[in-house]
Structure formats: C-alpha cells, structure tokens
Amino acid sequence: MSEESVLTYRCTIPDAMGSMMMYHATTMLTVPEAAKRTGRNPETVRRWIREGKLRAHKVGTQHVIEEKDLEAMQDSPYPDMLPLPKGWEMTFWGEPMPNVAAWIRESRAGH
C-alpha cells in the first residue's frame, strides 16, 4: 500500500431508480497508518479494534479505519474509548451520562 491510503472524494452515481445520488467516501487508514498517526504500536491498534474501542471494517485480510473514528478517539478525554452513540449523551432525567469506565480507571490509577 502507499504511504497513506487517502480515499476522500465525491462522485455522483445512479441509484436503483435511475436518479443521481451524491456519494461521499471518507479517508480510510490501514492499521500501520493509524498506529503511525497515534504514535502507538500496530498491535495496540489491533487490540482496540478487537475490544470494540475503535471501529474498523475488514477488507480482505486487512482492517481499515475511518479517519474520523481515529480522530474521535484522539480528541476525547479518554483516547482509547469511542464517543457515546447519539442519544446516549444525556440520562432520561436530563443530566450528562456518567462515565463509569473513567471512574474505574481513575480509582485504579491511585493504586
């Protein structure tokens, strides 16, 4: 593969009904490319994928990661956790959703 697999483009394709629809592809990264961007070992990135902390798609034998998912991980206060899904940001009584995993991580850091 190239130094960085960039697949960002827009194209217009016909849909099943014959009308034209806009298609937007995002930048996809391989595991080694994602590891280089995060400064981590490729095996760490693979572990994040296995544990569900980083979304990835399998293409043949390789995992590919959307750049926006990798950026979301890096921008969060806990970079090895994905952001909450839409609608889960608030509890049903209107307060922000508590981050139980962060509480556990912080409690273990003191030991």
Side-chain angles (χ1 to χ4, degrees):
M1 286 221 152
S2 65
E3 179 66 27
E4 196 163 295
S5 304
V6 178
L7 300 174
T8 303
Y9 58 89
R10 286 186 183 164
C11 64
T12 307
I13 57 173
D15 65 4
M17 302 298 284
S19 60
M20 301 303 272
M21 94 180 180
M22 183 64 84
Y23 174 75
H24 178 74
T26 59
T27 304
M28 303 299 282
L29 304 168
T30 62
V31 169
E33 292 165 352
K36 184 186 267 187
R37 284 195 180 191
T38 59
R40 302 290 180 103
N41 188 297
E43 194 52 43
T44 301
V45 175
R46 287 185 191 95
R47 188 179 69 244
W48 289 344
I49 293 168
R50 281 192 306 272
E51 293 173 353
K53 295 178 181 177
L54 180 61
R55 290 183 190 102
H57 304 282
K58 195 108 180 201
V59 177
T61 59
Q62 283 197 337
H63 285 100
V64 290
I65 302 150
E66 288 190 36
E67 185 177 39
K68 65 180 181 172
D69 289 335
L70 188 64
E71 289 172 357
M73 255 185 83
Q74 290 178 313
D75 293 341
S76 72
Y78 299 98
D80 57 346
M81 292 177 59
L82 285 173
L84 289 173
K86 242 183 192 173
W88 287 27
E89 296 92 5
M90 303 294 272
T91 61
F92 70 90
W93 57 87
E95 293 183 13
M97 187 65 72
N99 189 339
V100 177
W103 294 344
I104 293 169
R105 178 178 290 138
E106 289 167 7
S107 73
R108 291 178 179 171
H111 295 336

